[in-house]
């Protein structure tokens, strides 16, 4: 039993330690038309988005996701982001829904580039999902950062989420390979690949 427990802890630590390499994508810190803040880890994502706003990296912000949508919006506004530039989409309950429900907002803004603000371990799946939903937009990820130590990351509240992310990434890739992200034909024309 001790051997099995040791192996499980070792495997968990390895998944967390390798998250930067396998599930994380980091974009360049350069301006985009829109910033999209994904719900799910509200405080860290809200504070990161607020920091990026004050660096002048986007003209408008979309907050996407149920649960902590209002909290993220309020944190942005309380931190000096003008309320008039923040749009909310508070219905999505998954990364795929974040992308689908945000796409009409991106089309309305005629965005050509967008920064995704999410947790570091969620970036690879988020970028792939948004790019599949709206190929005409260039997406980049500027994530919130992990805790400072491997132990704190692995055995704090992020540990289980990181471990699950490997499975979610694999599942999304299988689903994306086998199905159209817009099975009902609902993708806005603005998002079609090759649009001029």
């Amino acid at each position: 039993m001790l051997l099995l427990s040791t192996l499980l802890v070792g495997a968990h630590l390895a998944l967390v330690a390798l998250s930067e390499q396998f599930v994380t994508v980091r974009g360049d810190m350069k301006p985009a038309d829109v910033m999209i803040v994904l719900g799910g880890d509200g405080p860290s994502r809200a504070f990161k988005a607020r920091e990026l706003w004050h660096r002048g990296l986007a003209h408008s912000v979309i907050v996407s996701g149920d649960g902590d949508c209002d909290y993220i919006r309020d944190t942005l506004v309380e931190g000096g982001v003008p309320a008039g530039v923040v749009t909310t989409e508070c219905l999505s309950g998954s990364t795929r829904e974040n992308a689908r429900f945000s796409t009409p907002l991106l089309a309305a803004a005629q965005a050509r580039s967008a920064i995704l603000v999410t947790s570091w371990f969620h970036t690879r799946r988020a970028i792939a999902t948004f790019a599949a939903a709206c190929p005409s937009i260039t997406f980049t990820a500027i994530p919130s950062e992990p805790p400072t130590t491997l132990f704190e990351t692995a055995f704090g509240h992020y540990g289980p989420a990181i471990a699950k992310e490997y499975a979610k990434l694999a599942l999304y890739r299988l689903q994306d390979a086998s199905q159209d992200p817009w099975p009902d034909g609902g993708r806005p024309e603005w998002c079609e690949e090759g649009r001029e």
Side-chain angles (χ1 to χ4, degrees), residues 7-45:
L7 289 173
L8 289 173
V9 169
H12 179 68
L13 283 170
L15 288 175
V16 172
L18 294 170
S19 65
E20 188 71 34
Q21 181 177 354
F22 291 112
V23 295
T24 305
V25 175
R26 293 177 185 279
D28 294 331
M29 193 81 72
K30 61 183 182 182
D33 297 326
V34 178
M35 183 184 334
I36 305 167
V37 188
L38 303 182
D41 184 17
S44 68
R45 297 176 188 184

Side-chain angles (χ1 to χ4, degrees), residues 57-191:
L57 294 184
H59 304 295
S60 61
V61 180
I62 297 169
V63 178
S64 177
D66 67 353
D68 52 5
C69 182
D70 292 332
Y71 167 82
I72 293 172
R73 181 200 60 227
D74 293 347
T75 300
L76 292 171
V77 172
E78 289 166 8
V81 178
V85 304
V86 181
T87 303
T88 57
E89 176 287 295
C90 299
L91 299 176
S92 56
S94 68
T95 304
R96 189 166 278 118
E97 287 182 352
N98 288 138
R100 286 195 62 172
F101 298 170
S102 296
T103 295
L105 301 173
L106 293 165
Q110 299 188 353
R112 296 186 180 277
S113 60
I115 295 169
L116 293 177
V117 179
T118 188
S119 302
W120 78 99
F121 59 86
H122 180 231
T123 52
R124 187 171 301 278
R125 182 163 56 99
I127 287 284
T129 303
F130 272 80
C134 196
S136 66
I137 295 178
T138 302
F139 293 97
T140 189
I142 303 179
S144 61
E145 297 299 330
T148 55
T149 68
L150 177 61
F151 185 86
E152 185 182 0
T153 305
F155 299 109
H157 72 279
Y158 287 116
I162 295 167
K164 289 178 190 173
E165 185 61 28
Y166 286 91
K168 289 179 180 180
L169 181 60
L171 179 63
Y172 267 57
R173 285 188 175 171
L174 287 172
Q175 289 174 340
D176 288 344
S178 65
Q179 65 186 7
D180 181 353
W182 293 91
D184 58 359
R187 183 191 341 248
E189 187 177 328
W190 178 262
C191 284

